[in-house]
Amino acid sequence: MTEMNKVWWKEAVVYQVYWRSFYDSNGDGYGDLEGLIQKLDYIQELGVDVIWLNPIYESPDADNGYDISDYFNIMPKAGTMQTFEKLLTSVHERGMKLIMDLVVNHTSDKHPWFVESKSSKKNPKRDWYIWKDGKEDQKPNNWRSYFEPSVWEWDENTEQYYFHSFAVEQPDLNWESPELRHEIYRMMRFWLDKGIDGFRLDAIALLAKPEGFPNVDNPEDISYLTNNAGLHSYIREMNELVLRHYDILTVGEAAFVTPEEGLKYVGEDRHELNTLFHFEVCDEMPNWDMLRFKEIQRRWYVGLWGKGSNSQFLNNHDHTRQVTRYGNDGPYREQSAKLLAIMLHTLPGIPYIYQGEEIGMTGVRFPSIELYDDIAMKNRYAEEVGKGKDPQGVLQSLQPLSRDNSRTPMQWNDSMNGGFSTGKPWINVNPNYKEINVTRDLSDSNSIHRFYQKLIKLRKNNTAMVYGQFEELQEWAEDQHLYVYTRTLGDNRLLIILNHSDDRSFLQLPSEYQSSVSELLLSNYALTDINSIKGTIELNPHEARIYKVAVK
Ligand code: TEU
């Protein structure tokens, strides 16, 4: 595989800020941009390069900002345009970059465009959204949406249905309309000309709909909403008219893609996006499965390496906390959080840190549906209970993967509300904030946070972690707990050994490695001896090591 050309965003570590849960500066119970500004030193000291900011645009907040009613203004609970501009300046003054969430598959149903479109079949903006005939009791087809049993919502006034891939409050934009597309490009330039450093493109795989909107055999498998004909012509047009004119990072949220499909988005010869989030792990692997994870990593490495860039993450604002879902958030929480960090930062791809991951924040279990906020969970709860299912059983089935697991407020210290807010937080703080918080981690040189700092610093000094070829040691390729691989760039080789298990593991490396280690770069146990690689190695539960080895 050829070495890919070097560029700043490939070497970046990205920190995702779900601002409404990050830090509340005015006591209204919501995090805000002023609060983020006050915490920029904290983010900078972690060592990250780019901040990904979840949507801050005007929104009725049906889906926590992913239902936009004005792309050109900031929602008041986040702050003002002046606060945003102060934030952007402060981020740049610290040598970091800021990418924004671009939500253009849909708007809010309160967006003036939709209000106009909905007002009459003859309105000039009617075709900025997707309207279809049908009868009140007969929908245009049998598709279901991410958040509702159907993608169709009846409008009594104009006696047609409108299409929504997500909630009723989120009507899909009609990307077949050139007028709509050019208005979106104008909006993108508005933000890029302010100096932002790129976009995370929300639900980008959904922009094109299946030709003719035919019924499907299995409505529950909503992959039919994604990766349809015409999609890449839209993204290429977006690149041609907007993206290619700026030195930016673009990352597409691409649901239901395989490496082959993913390459269409990020192939360097495709002139579409720089990189992507695929969901073969977070959407399709409910619990940790090392063999499946290895297989996914292999396919994506073979599919993209040398041709396009991948991303590495195991949680975000839509997916529960990684140490809970894919690690051990009990007795081995610290070791497990550090092992997952080493894995994500040494596998091929740009690593994303979701706020709180760097202190090992965990998932949560609220005792009643009323304490949850996530529209996806509440809609699914209502749908299932509406079928006559036991409410408590439905709640318990939805809790593990509820998006609210990752949306509880950042835990800054052990004071009220974890130091997040002096008001009543919009969502309850995880009760473990007294034990898990930033202040505690900053006071401990062996904390998860301090480990992340070392790991990110290591990445800056070892370009093999970015551009090195990936190769598994075949002796452990089929091991359910041990993950052993190298990253090689020229004569710079790293050997990574992971024991993803609550038990000890033992292994004996091939002699070529035993005699070639030159340095133990990082370990999540108090290990210092580079000769620790010789003979039979005993690995503690969730032990992870990075060695520098000579290339023979
Ligand atoms: O999520 C999009 C979404 O749900 C899927 O496309 C994604 O592939 C994956 O399945 C997530 O589990 C985005 C935002 O991240 C989410 O917060 C919004 O609710 C949604 O779009 C609608 O804007």
Side-chain angles (χ1 to χ4, degrees), residues 336-510:
S336 177
K338 294 172 183 177
L339 178 144
L340 294 176
I342 280 192
M343 186 173 72
L344 291 173
H345 289 245
T346 54
L347 284 170
I350 299 165
Y352 285 72
I353 300 169
Y354 178 61
Q355 68 182 44
E357 171 192 322
E358 76 277 13
I359 59 169
M361 279 178 65
T362 69
V364 71
R365 292 287 184 274
F366 293 137
S368 74
I369 190 65
E370 290 71 27
L371 291 173
Y372 284 91
D373 167 85
D374 174 13
I375 188 171
M377 177 184 186
K378 293 174 85 88
N379 283 8
R380 179 62 79 167
Y381 177 86
E383 192 178 332
E384 297 305 316
V385 170
K387 294 173 187 171
K389 291 183 181 176
D390 164 47
Q392 195 54 29
V394 172
L395 176 65
Q396 284 166 3
S397 72
L398 296 176
Q399 284 173 325
L401 297 186
S402 166
R403 301 190 301 179
D404 285 335
N405 281 291
S406 289
R407 298 179 178 185
T408 59
M410 185 73 179
Q411 295 164 198
W412 295 103
N413 54 50
D414 62 4
S415 71
M416 183 184 74
N417 298 328
F420 161 72
S421 172
T422 55
K424 179 173 177 4
W426 68 276
I427 188 170
N428 285 353
V429 179
N430 190 317
N432 63 19
Y433 72 88
K434 288 190 183 297
E435 297 79 37
I436 300 173
N437 61 68
V438 168
T439 299
R440 185 225 153 275
D441 262 33
L442 291 179
S443 67
D444 171 2
S445 61
N446 290 318
S447 68
I448 300 167
H449 179 278
R450 294 304 183 190
F451 191 83
Y452 266 80
Q453 284 181 311
K454 291 173 196 155
L455 179 61
I456 295 167
K457 190 174 180 185
L458 189 68
R459 185 182 183 86
K460 297 297 169 208
N461 300 323
N462 282 274
T463 47
M465 286 170 74
V466 179
Y467 296 109
Q469 294 191 346
F470 167 77
E471 188 173 358
E472 287 179 80
L473 271 65
Q474 287 312 301
E475 295 84 341
W476 294 278
E478 297 310 315
D479 193 293
Q480 299 214 11
H481 301 297
L482 293 170
Y483 201 2
V484 187
Y485 53 90
T486 59
R487 298 292 305 275
T488 305
L489 182 65
D491 58 7
N492 178 0
R493 173 169 292 160
L494 305 177
L495 171 66
I496 295 93
I497 303 173
L498 309 175
N499 177 33
H500 191 297
S501 169
D502 291 350
D503 302 317
R504 292 178 185 285
S505 291
F506 299 84
L507 77 155
Q508 182 143 351
L509 290 169

Side-chain angles (χ1 to χ4, degrees), residues 16 18 52 54-55 63-67 101 103 105-106 146-147 165-167 170 200 202-206 222 226 253-256 277-279 282-283 316-319 374-376 403 407:
Q16 180 189 354
Y18 194 67
W52 157 24
N54 287 98
D63 184 21
N64 291 9
Y66 283 93
D67 50 313
D101 223 313
V103 187
N105 174 67
H106 49 272
Y146 273 93
F147 299 163
S165 296
F166 294 93
Q170 296 170 290
R200 175 264 190 186
D202 181 71
I204 194 71
L206 284 79
I222 58 175
T226 65
E253 181 193 39
F256 298 106
F277 296 138
H278 70 75
F279 291 91
C282 286
D283 267 357
N316 56 34
H317 66 291
D318 289 334
H319 296 280
D374 174 13
I375 188 171
R403 301 190 301 179
R407 298 179 178 185

Side-chain angles (χ1 to χ4, degrees), residues 317-328:
H317 66 291
D318 289 334
H319 296 280
T320 186
R321 294 277 176 188
Q322 61 192 37
V323 74
T324 296
R325 185 182 187 190
Y326 291 135
N328 177 315

Side-chain angles (χ1 to χ4, degrees), residues 51-70:
I51 292 172
W52 157 24
L53 187 60
N54 287 98
I56 58 173
Y57 317 96
E58 279 273 15
S59 164
D61 248 3
D63 184 21
N64 291 9
Y66 283 93
D67 50 313
I68 295 169
S69 54
D70 181 353

